[in-house]
Amino acid sequence: MPPAVAAASSAGESLVLHWLALTLTPGLGPTRARRLAEHFGSVQNIFKASLTELEATGIHAASAQSLGTGRSMELANDEMGRVNAAGVSVICLDDFSYPAQLKQIYDPPLVLYVRGKVDVIGQPGIAIVGTRHPTPYGLGMAERLACDLAARGLVIFSGLARGVDAAGHRGAIIAKGKTVAVFGTGVDVIYPKENTRLTEQILSLGGALISEFPLNTFAAPQNFPIRNRIISGISIGVLVVEAAEYSGTRITSRCALEQNREVFAVPGNVTNKNSWGPNTLIKQGAKLIATWEDVWEELPAQVRLALAPATGNESQAGQTASLFGEPELAPHEKKIFKLLKADEATHIDEIVECLELELSSSEIFAALFELELAGKVKQMPGKNFVKSF
């Protein structure tokens, strides 16, 4: 490595180490830490200041002690050892790889831990968020919209939670697109565990897992509302698919509004409690979303021009992106398809009962199998079936 490049690399590592030391300082949040760096002229100067100078800034005594005695830097060096051993990257506020969108928010994280491709987190993308207990309709819409948007080059950001978040990530994976999961734990702690396979798929397709929390941070409830500001801040806009009145999604959408991000919402059945969030947002001015085109037309012109053309994995419902096109099906399949709904699961026994005069149970099982293979129908737990979007 040429001396100039080696020196630049060393300087970058030193900068990350100093910001990391601030992050690990007790009683010092992102906003106070940035003000401290501004007060002393640079992040490095903080660690040259005396204990008296640090206390004079008004920070907590414990924070001043940790910085002044070198304890914070010791913690940072220990953490960097773990980071390097785990193959994780750490980028700081002053790093050119730090997402420009995220830097614009009021309280951006001082550092981001990244597993996977660092460059993908700075690319234009949409956050897809919603309830952990969605209806089949909510799952289908989240997956379909994520698939269509990812196929057109947008990164899908979400929080890896059960339900809508996981469906958003899956949709991007179906499109062979990029998706980024924002953790409320350390990037080495998969939560929930059931999504371990999903994280492997995210990484294999060039996506990333990111967090502001140190390695080994467990799933503490208070961390998830904190991370929600990153999901909205790193995105061009936030798309809400099913959310109850009191939910983490409500926090994310509020963050989006405060951060001057676009807010999109998929309307839902007014009798379903999960429709309260998106329907209320629409009443308050959020853009109503039925297809990917509704999101696409709200993107900045320069973003639309920069994105890659569709890969062909997007919705096959036609150029108008209609959700309600009738597919070409065999006669048996058509009869079953007409019985099924997209927003409500139908049990196999009900299908057999409705068609017992027209089709045998073996014909119904065979037709359902063919519909599943064709991607027209999905089987839910308990032998329940829904139409795919």
Side-chain angles (χ1 to χ4, degrees):
M1 184 183 292
V5 175
S9 175
S10 177
E13 289 173 9
S14 173
L15 201 57
V16 168
L17 197 63
H18 282 83
W19 280 112
L20 188 57
L22 276 189
T23 301
L24 298 172
T25 300
L28 198 64
T31 304
R32 267 205 195 96
R34 281 188 295 111
R35 287 175 182 163
L36 204 58
E38 289 167 8
H39 175 82
F40 286 105
S42 74
V43 65
Q44 292 97 328
N45 287 345
I46 296 172
F47 296 88
K48 298 174 185 174
S50 67
L51 187 57
T52 303
E53 289 172 323
L54 289 166
E55 289 174 337
T57 63
I59 61 175
H60 293 307
S63 304
Q65 284 283 342
S66 185
L67 291 167
T69 61
R71 176 59 181 157
S72 292
M73 192 55 74
E74 287 175 18
L75 292 171
N77 278 304
D78 290 344
E79 181 71 356
M80 282 304 292
R82 288 188 288 271
V83 162
N84 293 331
V88 172
S89 301
V90 180
I91 58 174
C92 65
L93 265 177
D94 293 331
D95 198 303
F96 70 92
S97 300
Y98 196 95
Q101 284 276 120
L102 190 57
K103 198 177 285 190
Q104 295 168 3
I105 72 173
Y106 172 72
D107 53 349
L110 305 181
V111 299
L112 285 173
Y113 295 76
V114 184
R115 277 179 66 192
K117 299 287 187 182
V118 172
D119 63 332
V120 74
I121 69 175
Q123 294 173 15
I126 293 292
I128 295 182
V129 297
T131 179
R132 287 174 169 79
H133 307 287
T135 64
Y137 164 79
L139 277 176
M141 285 299 291
E143 192 172 294
R144 182 74 272 161
L145 289 167
C147 179
D148 289 350
L149 293 169
R152 288 167 172 81
L154 280 168
V155 177
I156 302 301
F157 294 98
S158 199
L160 200 74
R162 297 182 182 93
V164 168
D165 286 22
H169 292 304
R170 278 197 304 272
I173 289 164
I174 291 167
K176 306 296 183 189
K178 302 287 191 297
T179 180
V180 174
V182 185
F183 282 25
T185 60
V187 289
D188 57 336
V189 179
I190 309 300
Y191 181 81
K193 283 285 186 186
E194 67 205 51
N195 285 338
T196 299
R197 173 66 182 144
L198 192 56
T199 63
E200 292 167 359
Q201 293 173 316
I202 290 170
L203 294 173
S204 69
L205 288 170
L209 316 176
I210 67 172
S211 177
E212 68 177 314
F213 299 106
L215 297 185
N216 301 321
T217 300
F218 69 95
Q222 66 270 20
N223 290 348
F224 293 93
I226 294 170
R227 71 89 194 263
N228 288 350
R229 81 189 194 288
I230 300 178
I231 296 176
S232 55
I234 205 169
S235 312
I236 297 170
V238 173
L239 172 57
V240 177
V241 184
E242 292 194 333
E245 183 174 1
Y246 302 106
S247 66
T249 301
R250 188 181 182 186
I251 296 170
T252 309
S253 55
R254 190 185 70 229
C255 288
L257 292 168
E258 291 171 352
Q259 294 162 352
N260 200 28
R261 300 291 186 260
E262 293 286 348
V263 178
F264 310 104
V266 175
N269 183 336
V270 295
T271 64
N272 188 314
K273 65 178 182 180
N274 281 338
S275 299
W276 186 94
N279 289 355
T280 299
L281 287 170
I282 290 166
K283 285 195 288 185
Q284 293 172 345
K287 176 73 184 286
L288 186 153
I289 302 300
T291 70
W292 65 268
E293 289 178 325
D294 297 325
V295 175
W296 189 262
E297 65 189 17
E298 297 298 319
L299 298 178
Q302 68 271 22
V303 171
R304 291 200 305 269
L305 291 171
L307 292 175
T311 62
N313 290 303
E314 66 276 7
S315 173
Q316 300 300 309
Q319 293 301 312
T320 59
S322 169
L323 295 173
F324 310 108
E326 281 296 321
E328 288 298 320
L329 300 172
H332 290 359
E333 294 169 5
K334 197 169 285 187
K335 289 176 181 177
I336 294 170
F337 195 76
K338 281 184 178 178
L339 278 178
L340 299 178
K341 305 177 184 71
D343 59 348
E344 184 181 332
T346 305
H347 194 269
I348 184 66
D349 290 347
E350 187 179 338
I351 299 171
V352 171
E353 187 178 333
C354 289
L355 297 175
E356 63 182 348
L357 299 178
E358 301 174 63
L359 300 173
S360 68
S361 57
S362 59
E363 287 174 322
I364 290 171
F365 295 149
L368 278 170
F369 180 69
E370 291 299 327
L371 286 168
E372 275 195 87
L373 282 181
K376 306 298 184 189
V377 163
K378 280 188 178 179
Q379 185 174 172
M380 309 298 285
K383 291 291 182 182
N384 289 291
F385 294 85
V386 293
K387 282 181 182 177
S388 297
F389 286 92

